[in-house]
């Protein structure tokens, strides 16, 4: 599908990409619900980010994911209620609260990671190394482009 001509082939490709990414997001939500039925995908994503960062503030989450502070606050309240996240004073400034996953939160993340990895291994088992490298490169390139007017991912 070339860039030359009317642009119709490009538009058709973008249409397929949009449709397939939407299907991917729906499967991701369903998979998150199977890991822990009380954790929406947004909350799970926030929990994973907190763990990856080895703790962070709620405002950092809002900025990173381009979410409204009230959305982050609601999601964090749910994670705290489930005992998956806790707040601790920042070592450098005890007025600042830093979020950390609890042991239960780490277990949920580990289970989800193992399940996701197994699902990806199964889905991609027949792909060549070259195809996997290209796909990984395309995903990195796509995500590196940053947000493009997308709304709150809830």
């Amino acid at each position: 599908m070339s860039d030359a001509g009317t642009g119709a082939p490009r538009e058709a490709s973008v249409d397929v990409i949009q449709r397939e990414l939407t299907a991917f997001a729906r499967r991701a939500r369903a998979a998150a619900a199977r890991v822990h039925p009380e954790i929406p995908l947004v909350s799970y994503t926030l929990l994973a980010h907190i763990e990856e960062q080895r703790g962070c503030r709620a405002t950092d989450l809002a900025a990173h994911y381009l979410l409204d502070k009230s959305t982050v606050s609601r999601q964090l309240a749910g994670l705290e209620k489930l005992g998956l996240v806790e707040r601790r004073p920042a070592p450098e400034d005890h007025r600042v609260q830093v979020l950390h996953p609890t042991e239960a939160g780490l277990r949920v993340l580990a289970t989800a990671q193992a399940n996701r990895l197994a699902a990806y291994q199964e889905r991609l088992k027949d792909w060549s190394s070259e195809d996997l490298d290209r796909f990984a490169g395309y995903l990195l390139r796509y995500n590196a482009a940053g947000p493009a007017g997308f709304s709150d991912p809830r």
Side-chain angles (χ1 to χ4, degrees):
M1 298 187 185
S2 98
D3 289 335
T6 65
R10 182 179 179 85
E11 188 174 307
S13 293
V14 170
D15 225 23
V16 168
I17 291 166
Q18 182 276 327
R19 186 176 58 248
E20 293 304 313
L21 286 175
T22 299
F24 176 83
R26 286 186 181 128
R27 282 193 307 274
R29 280 191 191 94
R34 285 191 301 274
V35 169
H36 200 297
E38 298 177 63
I39 304 175
L41 182 58
V42 172
S43 295
Y44 173 81
T45 303
L46 297 179
L47 177 61
H49 186 79
I50 292 166
E51 194 273 332
E52 288 167 11
Q53 297 300 306
R54 292 184 164 75
C56 66
R57 298 171 306 151
T59 55
D60 298 331
L61 290 169
H64 181 77
Y65 288 106
L66 304 175
L67 294 171
D68 185 81
K69 290 176 188 176
S70 65
T71 299
V72 171
S73 181
R74 279 191 309 276
Q75 300 301 323
L76 290 174
L79 289 170
E80 287 178 299
K81 183 178 178 184
L82 293 169
L84 303 176
V85 168
E86 63 186 2
R87 295 175 190 265
R88 299 182 204 152
E92 68 280 354
D93 184 350
H94 292 285
R95 296 172 296 173
V96 176
Q97 295 290 304
V98 178
L99 299 155
H100 293 275
T102 62
E103 288 300 318
L106 292 172
R107 283 192 302 274
V108 165
L109 288 170
T111 298
Q113 177 64 17
N115 291 343
R116 271 199 327 268
L117 184 58
Y120 283 125
Q121 293 287 3
E122 177 61 28
R123 184 174 285 258
L124 300 170
K125 69 182 177 190
D126 296 329
W127 289 39
S128 71
S129 293
E130 294 80 18
D131 283 346
L132 290 172
D133 286 344
R134 267 193 299 278
F135 187 49
Y138 292 149
L139 287 172
L140 287 167
R141 182 176 167 194
Y142 178 81
N143 286 326
F150 293 113
S151 61
D152 187 336
R154 283 180 286 143

